[in-house]
Amino acid sequence: MKISIKDAAKTYLADNVQPETVLLLTLDDGSNQYSTLGGSCAIGDKFQFVALTQPDPKYSIPVENDAGLNLWTNADTELYLNNGLILDRVFNQLSLRDDTGILDSAVGMITYTAEEKSDLDLKKEMQTLGTRIC
């Protein structure tokens, strides 16, 4: 898999991601331990970058990029990504698109110092965010 990163997005990522960071491109639809949203209205149209201090073995698909990022995804996320993947920064938001059009005009960015969130953390967060889940 390959993603082209436009200059505005490169600048943003350089300012917000440490060079040794493991960066994940993942869904933000309730389907994984990093997601803060969920429900049927978010399936396949919400994405996020997750910055980790160590690799996550669940994300084993490298994403080739022209920004020198240590970027990974998984098979679940890859299902929603097509050819011509581009990341840009438009109106102060990260925007993800491919040959089919805009996938997400407000891609999130989350940083974790732990390898992954625990099930208990996820449950507590989902309860707190219950009103934001469709």
Side-chain angles (χ1 to χ4, degrees), residues 1-3 24-27 44-49 59 61-63 71-87 95-104 107:
M1 173 173 292
K2 183 176 182 178
I3 186 170
L24 308 179
L25 174 57
T26 186
L27 294 165
D45 75 346
K46 301 280 189 236
F47 294 86
Q48 66 181 343
F49 286 101
Y59 291 81
I61 300 171
V63 181
L71 184 57
W72 300 84
T73 195
N74 64 5
D76 294 338
T77 304
E78 189 179 41
L79 288 172
Y80 296 97
L81 304 172
N82 294 299
N83 293 325
L85 202 56
I86 296 172
L87 182 70
S95 176
L96 185 66
R97 68 180 190 263
D98 64 14
D99 288 345
T100 65
I102 294 175
L103 300 174
D104 188 347
V107 178

Side-chain angles (χ1 to χ4, degrees), residues 30 35-38 121-131 133:
S35 182
T36 58
L37 299 174
D121 290 339
L122 180 60
K123 181 178 180 182
K124 184 186 278 186
E125 187 173 82
M126 293 303 269
Q127 288 170 338
T128 303
L129 297 173
T131 59
I133 298 173

Side-chain angles (χ1 to χ4, degrees), residues 86-122:
I86 296 172
L87 182 70
D88 202 353
R89 185 151 168 86
V90 180
F91 301 117
N92 291 323
Q93 298 285 334
L94 290 174
S95 176
L96 185 66
R97 68 180 190 263
D98 64 14
D99 288 345
T100 65
I102 294 175
L103 300 174
D104 188 347
S105 62
V107 178
M109 170 73 82
I110 298 174
T111 301
Y112 293 109
T113 55
E115 289 182 44
E116 62 183 27
K117 290 167 41 175
S118 71
D119 290 339
L120 183 59
D121 290 339
L122 180 60

